[in-house]
């Protein structure tokens, strides 16, 4: 049984709070009775993700680029640092911004948490493992990352963010935690953000061919956003430093995922193979032993159910940005 909400927060700051995962965190924290300050520069976050929250008591929106500094009116007791372009389409379009958010932005948000004596949680990523030579990946694995490849702006920004967070805890005594998020999906993803699930869903609903890269045998591990949010808040409440993997330990090939989306969407779309991106990982699967043992957390939403809910959301919201 997860301990995600066993600790009560009075005021949480969520950077990147208008993004996909960030907006779900904002809503969950509000539901739990916390005041929430959402910080976003809307470089990739969307106003419509937080529109339902704007009239809720305790919710405040601050439009700011955390790489330029961060001030909030009320000291927080929880800071969740989720600001960063996260999809390949975004970080390839915004390479310098991605690096600055992961470095300068992380420094500024850490200083806010330290001055307020708040709990700080860094949203890191499974991308710190690169194209792994170990499968599944546990938190002790150092990774296999190309520091000058096209994906490096995101991978190295997150790796630096982890190093900075660790150094801040050691040098300043800041109460920090690192969560490494594996592939997360669900409502509020952007249809053209370049990640597999929204791309396949958009294509299936439009009757277009589903574009599978390479031979489709590369694997990912898909965690529904509600499960990811529970895991993040469980880590925040626990007091652990991490890093801790938050993801689904069940692997699926990209070809099988495409076929499953076609089936669940009741689509007539065909599969089309396209060139595989440079440095695209061959496997991606978390070892979640630490999260299970320390947090009492593991995913609860099966892929079929999560994809049905995601497809239903896209049908209602539309697949265009």
């Amino acid at each position: 049984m997860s301990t995600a909400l066993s600790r009560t927060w009075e005021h949480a700051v969520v950077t990147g709070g208008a993004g996909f995962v960030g907006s779900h965190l904002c809503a969950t924290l509000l539901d739990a009775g916390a005041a929430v300050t959402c910080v976003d520069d809307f470089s990739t976050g969307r106003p419509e993700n937080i529109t339902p929250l704007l009239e809720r008591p305790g919710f405040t929106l601050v439009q700011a680029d955390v790489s330029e500094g961060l001030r909030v009116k009320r000291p927080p007791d929880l800071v969740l640092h989720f600001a960063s372009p996260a999809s390949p389409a975004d970080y390839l379009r915004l390479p310098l911004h991605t690096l600055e958010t992961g470095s300068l932005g992380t420094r500024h948000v850490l200083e806010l948490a330290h001055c307020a004596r708040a709990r700080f949680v860094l949203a890191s990523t499974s991308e710190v493992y690169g194209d792994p030579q170990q499968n599944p990946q546990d938190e002790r694995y150092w990774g296999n990352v190309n520091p000058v490849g096209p994906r490096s702006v995101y991978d190295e920004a997150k790796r630096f963010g982890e190093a900075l967070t660790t150094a801040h805890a050691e040098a300043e005594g800041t109460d920090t935690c690192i969560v490494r998020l594996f592939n997360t999906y669900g409502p509020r993803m952007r249809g053209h953000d370049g990640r597999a699930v929204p791309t396949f869903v958009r294509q299936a609903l439009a009757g277009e061919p589903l574009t599978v890269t390479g031979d489709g045998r590369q694997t990912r591990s898909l965690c529904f956003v509600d499960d990811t949010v529970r895991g993040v808040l469980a880590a925040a409440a626990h007091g652990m430093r991490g890093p801790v993997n938050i993801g689904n330990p069940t692997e699926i090939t990209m070809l099988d995922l495409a076929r499953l989306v076609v089936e669940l969407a009741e689509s007539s779309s065909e599969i089309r193979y396209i060139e595989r991106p440079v440095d695209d990982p061959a496997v991606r699967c978390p070892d979640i032993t630490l999260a299970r043992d320390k947090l009492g957390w593991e995913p609860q939403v099966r892929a079929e159910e999560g994809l049905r809910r995601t497809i239903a959301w896209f049908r209602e919201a539309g697949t265009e940005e």
Side-chain angles (χ1 to χ4, degrees):
M1 187 72 178
S2 174
T3 59
L5 298 179
S6 62
R7 182 170 172 182
T8 300
W9 307 105
E10 292 187 4
H11 176 214
V13 170
V14 183
T15 70
F20 163 48
V21 177
S23 62
H24 284 275
L25 280 165
C26 288
T28 300
L29 286 162
L30 285 170
D31 290 344
V36 174
T37 297
C38 166
V39 181
D40 209 295
D41 66 356
F42 295 104
S43 57
T44 60
R46 298 196 297 177
E48 52 265 42
N49 285 346
I50 56 168
T51 298
L53 307 180
L54 293 174
E55 302 302 321
R56 293 188 59 173
F59 183 79
T60 303
L61 172 62
V62 174
Q63 186 168 350
D65 179 350
V66 294
S67 68
E68 298 177 356
L70 178 59
R71 293 178 180 270
V72 297
K73 292 182 178 180
R74 176 183 171 189
D77 54 358
L78 174 65
V79 177
L80 302 175
H81 183 32
F82 277 68
S84 176
S87 74
D90 288 333
Y91 60 69
L92 293 176
R93 176 174 58 90
L94 301 167
L96 296 179
H97 181 59
T98 302
L99 286 163
E100 289 165 356
T101 301
S103 54
L104 294 171
T106 301
R107 179 67 181 269
H108 293 145
V109 181
L110 274 164
E111 289 171 352
L112 170 70
H114 176 69
C115 290
R117 297 185 178 180
R119 175 75 164 152
F120 173 90
V121 179
L122 172 71
S124 188
T125 171
S126 60
E127 296 300 321
V128 301
Y129 299 123
D131 187 5
Q133 297 175 342
Q134 169 185 307
N135 196 48
Q137 298 87 56
D138 64 37
E139 292 86 354
R140 295 167 296 179
Y141 178 54
W142 290 359
N144 178 39
V145 176
N146 179 356
V148 294
R151 303 170 70 98
S152 65
V153 294
Y154 183 63
D155 300 357
E156 298 295 4
K158 289 298 187 180
R159 287 163 68 93
F160 179 83
E162 288 198 12
L164 182 57
T165 298
T166 302
H168 220 279
E170 294 288 346
E172 303 291 344
T174 310
D175 182 12
T176 66
C177 178
I178 298 167
V179 292
R180 290 177 178 163
L181 307 186
F182 281 66
N183 300 78
T184 299
Y185 72 100
R188 299 183 202 153
M189 297 192 86
R190 291 157 38 224
H192 290 271
D193 84 351
R195 286 178 278 198
V197 169
T199 298
F200 289 165
V201 171
R202 172 178 57 81
Q203 292 169 335
L205 292 179
E208 301 171 356
L210 272 66
T211 49
V212 172
T213 62
D215 60 10
R217 288 188 290 182
Q218 63 272 32
T219 69
R220 297 295 182 267
S221 302
L222 304 176
C223 192
F224 191 65
V225 65
D226 291 359
D227 284 331
T228 296
V229 165
R230 283 192 308 104
V232 170
L233 294 178
H238 183 273
M240 71 187 314
R241 266 203 199 178
V244 58
N245 290 336
I246 300 295
N248 193 319
T250 302
E251 284 182 278
I252 186 171
T253 69
M254 290 297 92
L255 181 57
D256 286 343
L257 173 62
R259 289 168 172 164
L260 181 58
V261 169
V262 168
E263 176 187 342
L264 295 175
E266 299 178 338
S267 172
S268 59
S269 293
E270 299 178 348
I271 304 295
R272 187 176 74 196
Y273 295 93
I274 62 174
E275 186 177 358
R276 189 171 165 189
V278 175
D279 294 336
D280 183 47
V283 293
R284 180 71 81 231
C285 182
D287 182 326
I288 63 167
T289 302
L290 183 60
R292 281 195 180 113
D293 290 350
K294 298 296 185 182
L295 306 179
W297 175 88
E298 62 182 357
Q300 296 178 351
V301 180
R302 295 176 60 85
E304 291 82 357
E305 173 60 21
L307 287 170
R308 283 193 183 95
R309 289 161 67 176
T310 303
I311 291 167
W313 181 85
F314 270 100
R315 284 191 195 277
E316 182 175 349
T319 58
E320 298 303 318
E321 295 181 356

